[in-house]
Amino acid sequence: MNDTNPSLAIHTAVALFTIRERLEFLCLDQGRLPMAVLEAGEGLEASARRALGVATGIEDVFLEQLYTFDGGRDGPQATVAYYALAPCEQLPISRPGVGWADPADAATRLHNDHRIIVQRACERLAGKLEYAPIAYQFLAERFTLGELQAVYEIIGRQALDKRNFRRRIQASAHLVETHDVRRNGCHRPARLYRLRDTQPMIARSPVRP
Amino acid sequence: MNDTNPSLAIHTAVALFTIRERLEFLCLDQGRLPMAVLEAGEGLEASARRALGVATGIEDVFLEQLYTFDGGRDGPQATVAYYALAPCEQLPISRPGVGWADPADAATRLHNDHRIIVQRACERLAGKLEYAPIAYQFLAERFTLGELQAVYEIIGRQALDKRNFRRRIQASAHLVETHDVRRNGCHRPARLYRLRDTQPMIARSPVRP
DNA sequence: TAGGGTTGGTGTATGAATGACACAAACCCA
DNA sequence: TGGGTTTGTGTCATTCATACACCAACCCTA
């Protein structure tokens, strides 16, 4: 029942992204992303979550399938890659062998096959930013428009006009204004917003690849 | 070396679409899409092409990975789904057990897991139509603007204004005008166009899922 | 060979969305 | 109390999207 033939296996791999000043991904010291071997009776997404849980202790994050790569050198093999997004506050990861890296450094930090995963994930992130509410996955439940704009600027790699950005966001109607503000420094406090709770959360196959 | 344990397998499945008046997909009489079991040393895309070749005899078509599904009842299993596009002229398929079906009838023609593949493929097709030059995959090398518009209307499921459509297409600069026309019926002949040959052909992971 | 039927091909005017741009408000700190 | 910093707001110009009508070229039939 338990087939352990190493030449035939389905792997899952996860690129977990967060934003702390810059966009960063979670990287194991061996130059790999968190991975798992798919077990009997286990779903692919469950396997990916398990991989992430083993490496980091967290499992409750946004997770979406990215692409499936063939690793077939010795036998029929496939690696189903996922990407995950989480706000950095939720990530008290301080385990040995686990760290963060800049996607631009992926080439030096990761083995080839995993480098491609990170690169593709960045591309999809930037593309999807424009039409899907994924930016919110990097933020806490309540956030300021300034924080949201920073996410868009970091992922989209370009500065945005504050007024035009706010107009665009308000028009998308994803947000609701709360009655609270956040005092964050020696300046005017910022109003807090949250995602409209009727927001259907999407974690499906891309419609627009 | 040759592992034939049926409880651990990687499958590929292909939904081949074409347009003949309507959008249609290729459907085997057993209510399945063309499939293959990934072999040792075989790439995923190669496996999908093989599946299509076995069922139809053709292999040289646009093919893109769609999504990977887990079929894990008895063991670790995965089905990597692809979708393929081809002009109907290239498809002289008249084999027993192979036919065409309307995606709207997929529910009655296909088993559940394959129905989802067709449905997702239709969604991606419609989404991708707007920003990627996939419509040309349904046309011969040279085609008229009327034919191209028909493809857009069928996949996008809405009628388009002729003049606005033409302006949009001309603006995209994907096309070059040829010096020939096609006489097609009892009306004015239509100018023939072809894809600009410097067009980088994309068959990659979706950037915008 | 003339006229009717059919599809191919073209321009303009209006409203909507986008992009550029500057200044006062609120807070903290010195 | 004044300087520094981020929040928050409106307008104008340009571009983009939409709606819309007629002649051209061909084939077929009478």
Side-chain angles (χ1 to χ4, degrees):
Chain A
M1 199 66 187
N2 193 3
D3 191 330
T4 54
N5 182 343
S7 71
L8 168 52
I10 301 169
H11 297 266
T12 52
V14 184
L16 170 65
F17 291 88
T18 195
I19 291 184
R20 310 185 302 182
E21 309 288 319
R22 309 254 162 254
L23 182 67
E24 297 180 336
F25 71 95
L26 187 121
C27 178
L28 305 187
D29 282 354
Q30 311 96 40
R32 303 211 161 271
L33 299 172
M35 295 186 72
V37 176
L38 184 68
E39 292 177 356
E42 186 184 41
L44 286 167
E45 182 175 325
S47 171
R49 286 193 189 278
R50 181 167 58 84
L52 201 54
V54 167
T56 67
I58 56 165
E59 300 196 2
D60 182 26
V61 292
F62 172 93
L63 191 71
E64 186 177 271
Q65 197 184 104
L66 179 63
Y67 198 74
T68 300
F69 301 87
D70 41 33
R73 285 168 191 80
D74 311 326
Q77 293 186 356
T79 299
V80 186
Y82 283 77
Y83 71 99
L85 312 178
C88 59
E89 300 87 11
Q90 282 189 13
L91 301 174
I93 301 165
S94 53
R95 299 189 177 196
V98 179
W100 295 98
D102 185 325
D105 301 336
T108 63
R109 298 291 300 270
L110 287 180
H111 289 124
N112 259 354
D113 22 349
H114 287 188
R115 206 193 69 226
I116 293 170
I117 294 175
V118 170
Q119 181 191 324
R120 290 240 178 135
C122 287
E123 290 169 4
R124 179 171 304 183
L125 221 46
K128 202 160 177 172
L129 190 67
E130 293 164 14
Y131 71 97
I134 57 164
Y136 308 100
Q137 301 297 335
F138 290 105
L139 298 170
E141 194 197 337
R142 304 204 303 173
F143 49 87
T144 70
L145 292 182
E147 291 167 345
L148 183 62
Q149 182 174 348
V151 172
Y152 274 83
E153 290 180 331
I154 288 168
I155 298 179
R157 294 169 161 276
Q158 61 176 341
L160 300 173
D161 178 85
K162 199 200 309 184
R163 281 167 293 190
N164 294 340
F165 175 77
R166 288 162 118 90
R167 184 180 32 189
R168 209 175 93 197
I169 293 296
Q170 308 273 357
S172 79
H174 288 313
L175 294 192
V176 288
E177 195 173 317
T178 72
H179 295 300
D180 300 329
V181 294
R182 174 182 298 160
R183 248 175 298 270
N184 218 4
C186 45
H187 53 77
R188 179 173 175 174
R191 167 130 281 132
L192 289 171
Y193 292 79
R194 62 175 176 78
L195 252 190
R196 187 176 297 279
D197 42 344
T198 59
Q199 205 59 30
M201 207 49 266
I202 22 179
R204 297 193 324 152
S205 166
V207 168
R208 292 217 203 167
Chain B
M1 199 66 184
N2 192 3
D3 191 329
T4 54
N5 181 344
S7 70
L8 169 52
I10 301 169
H11 297 266
T12 53
V14 183
L16 171 64
F17 291 88
T18 196
I19 290 184
R20 311 185 302 181
E21 309 288 319
R22 308 254 162 254
L23 182 67
E24 297 180 336
F25 71 95
L26 187 122
C27 179
L28 304 187
D29 282 354
Q30 310 95 39
R32 304 212 161 271
L33 299 173
M35 294 187 71
V37 175
L38 184 69
E39 292 176 355
E42 185 183 42
L44 286 167
E45 183 176 326
S47 172
R49 287 193 189 278
R50 181 167 58 84
L52 201 53
V54 167
T56 67
I58 55 165
E59 300 196 1
D60 182 25
V61 293
F62 173 93
L63 191 72
E64 185 177 273
Q65 197 184 105
L66 180 63
Y67 197 74
T68 300
F69 300 88
D70 41 32
R73 286 170 191 79
D74 311 326
Q77 294 187 356
T79 298
V80 185
Y82 283 76
Y83 70 100
L85 312 178
C88 60
E89 299 89 12
Q90 282 190 11
L91 301 175
I93 301 165
S94 54
R95 298 189 177 197
V98 179
W100 295 98
D102 186 325
D105 301 336
T108 64
R109 299 290 302 268
L110 287 180
H111 288 124
N112 260 353
D113 22 351
H114 287 188
R115 208 194 67 225
I116 293 170
I117 294 174
V118 170
Q119 182 190 323
R120 289 240 179 135
C122 288
E123 290 169 4
R124 180 172 303 184
L125 221 45
K128 202 159 177 171
L129 191 66
E130 293 164 14
Y131 70 97
I134 57 164
Y136 308 101
Q137 301 298 334
F138 290 105
L139 299 171
E141 194 197 337
R142 305 203 303 173
F143 49 86
T144 70
L145 293 183
E147 292 166 344
L148 183 61
Q149 182 174 347
V151 172
Y152 274 83
E153 290 179 330
I154 288 168
I155 298 180
R157 295 168 161 276
Q158 62 177 342
L160 300 174
D161 178 85
K162 199 202 304 185
R163 281 167 292 189
N164 294 339
F165 175 78
R166 287 162 118 90
R167 174 158 29 122
R168 209 175 93 198
I169 293 295
Q170 307 274 359
S172 80
H174 287 313
L175 294 193
V176 288
E177 195 174 320
T178 72
H179 294 301
D180 300 330
V181 296
R182 173 182 300 159
R183 249 175 298 271
N184 218 4
C186 45
H187 53 77
R188 178 173 176 175
R191 167 129 282 132
L192 289 170
Y193 292 79
R194 61 175 177 79
L195 252 189
R196 187 176 297 279
D197 42 343
T198 58
Q199 206 58 31
M201 207 50 267
I202 23 179
R204 297 193 324 152
S205 164
V207 168
R208 291 216 203 168

